[in-house]
Amino acid sequence: MDYTKLKIPNHIAIILDGNGRWAKNLGLKRSEGHKAGYENLKKLCVHILKTGVKYLSVYAFSTENFKRSEEEVGYLMNLIAKKFKSDAKYFMENNIKVVFSGIRDNLRKDVLESMDYITNLTKNNKKGTFNVCLNYGGHLEITDMTKKIAKLVKENKLDIDNINEDIVNKNLYQDLPPIDLLIRTSGEQRVSNFMLWQLSYAEFYFPTVHFPDFNEEEFDKSLIEYTKRDRRFGGINYDKEID
Ligand code: FPP
């Protein structure tokens, strides 16, 4: 693939959907789907940042995902606790900075330790940022940002008239640029409370493959599609107008 001929988004977000269905289709347990999903994500993250994308955000676990069975939540938490320790070297070798968005409440100690370990280890890496949304909800992020800003105003650290979009962005879980392309695998066409502030002008792409099968080739198709999109950000592209 000649990436120089493609438009490369600065920030891509992926809703990792379909691990369960992928496993079911193969007669496997749902946990096998999550395992395959993680292994795919690990490789895909390196590929995506190699194409020139600078930020990759993924929806690994929503605050609502705690409603799933104890067995499934336990499996996912074990996976997170284990992999962000054992694969920390891999992210270092690939010069990737790993950050997390979400709340720490209700997360197990070993999960928090693993998250803190990889965050600290990779903090100076420069190839790109891998933002893992874990115990994350979009409304909650906006609510928490509002509380942080209200506190700054109350403590006289910020004048109410100086609140602007930049201040809002800086008080979200991570200070990230806007999302250019949102991908949701598995054919579902919903945002599901994911990065609502950051998605304002994102292009949406909905491949039908389940996440464990969303490999480099499938991802490259999303770049081809993104290249065809005419982004206007509420304006008009007069060069392209037909009538
Ligand atoms: C959605 O598929 C997927 C999840 C809720 C978890 C995503 C997690 C991973 C890919 C692995 C862990 C990731 C990290 C970063 C450690 P689903 O289970 O809802 O699938 P279904 O809709 O087919 O049931």
Side-chain angles (χ1 to χ4, degrees), residues 204-215:
F204 285 19
Y205 178 70
F206 301 113
T208 52
V209 291
H210 298 312
F211 184 70
D213 288 332
F214 188 69
N215 55 19

Side-chain angles (χ1 to χ4, degrees), residues 16-22 30 34 37-38 41 58-60 65 68 72 76 79-80 84 130 132 186 211:
L16 314 166
D17 203 1
N19 292 345
R21 277 163 283 174
W22 178 88
R30 293 181 60 80
H34 294 316
Y38 175 76
L41 180 61
V58 298
Y59 210 175
N65 285 152
R68 294 188 178 202
E72 185 168 353
L76 278 166
L79 190 69
I80 291 161
F84 284 129
F130 180 35
V132 181
S186 235
F211 184 70

Side-chain angles (χ1 to χ4, degrees), residues 211-223:
F211 184 70
D213 288 332
F214 188 69
N215 55 19
E216 295 183 6
E217 199 184 332
E218 290 296 329
F219 169 77
D220 288 353
K221 288 185 200 164
S222 73
L223 289 184

Side-chain angles (χ1 to χ4, degrees), residues 8-145:
I8 304 293
N10 183 48
H11 186 176
I12 290 185
I14 309 181
I15 301 180
L16 314 166
D17 203 1
N19 292 345
R21 277 163 283 174
W22 178 88
K24 193 171 173 224
N25 290 345
L26 293 171
L28 301 169
K29 286 170 70 176
R30 293 181 60 80
S31 54
E32 292 295 326
H34 294 316
K35 187 174 163 200
Y38 175 76
E39 292 306 327
N40 185 46
L41 180 61
K42 181 179 154 184
K43 277 191 281 165
L44 196 60
C45 169
V46 171
H47 173 70
I48 291 176
L49 297 176
K50 270 192 187 151
T51 66
V53 172
K54 295 311 281 179
Y55 296 85
L56 172 66
S57 291
V58 298
Y59 210 175
F61 195 87
S62 72
T63 44
E64 289 76 26
N65 285 152
F66 273 112
K67 292 183 205 149
R68 294 188 178 202
S69 74
E70 207 176 302
E71 187 193 350
E72 185 168 353
V73 172
Y75 184 88
L76 278 166
M77 291 301 147
N78 287 343
L79 190 69
I80 291 161
K82 195 170 118 199
K83 295 295 183 184
F84 284 129
K85 268 253 165 72
S86 63
D87 284 338
K89 195 166 163 253
Y90 172 86
F91 288 99
M92 278 308 284
E93 280 163 5
N94 286 289
N95 201 12
I96 296 169
K97 177 176 173 176
V98 182
V99 298
F100 293 89
S101 291
I103 53 166
R104 294 170 75 89
D105 313 30
N106 301 324
L107 289 178
R108 287 178 353 204
K109 195 162 163 273
D110 60 338
V111 171
L112 292 172
E113 274 169 11
S114 188
M115 288 162 64
D116 291 343
Y117 175 73
I118 198 162
T119 304
N120 276 324
L121 193 71
T122 63
K123 65 174 187 274
N124 295 320
N125 288 349
K126 296 281 181 289
K127 180 79 190 165
T129 299
F130 180 35
N131 172 44
V132 181
C133 294
L134 188 60
N135 204 12
Y136 174 89
H139 280 181
L140 187 59
E141 178 171 37
I142 292 170
T143 308
D144 284 346
M145 170 274 295

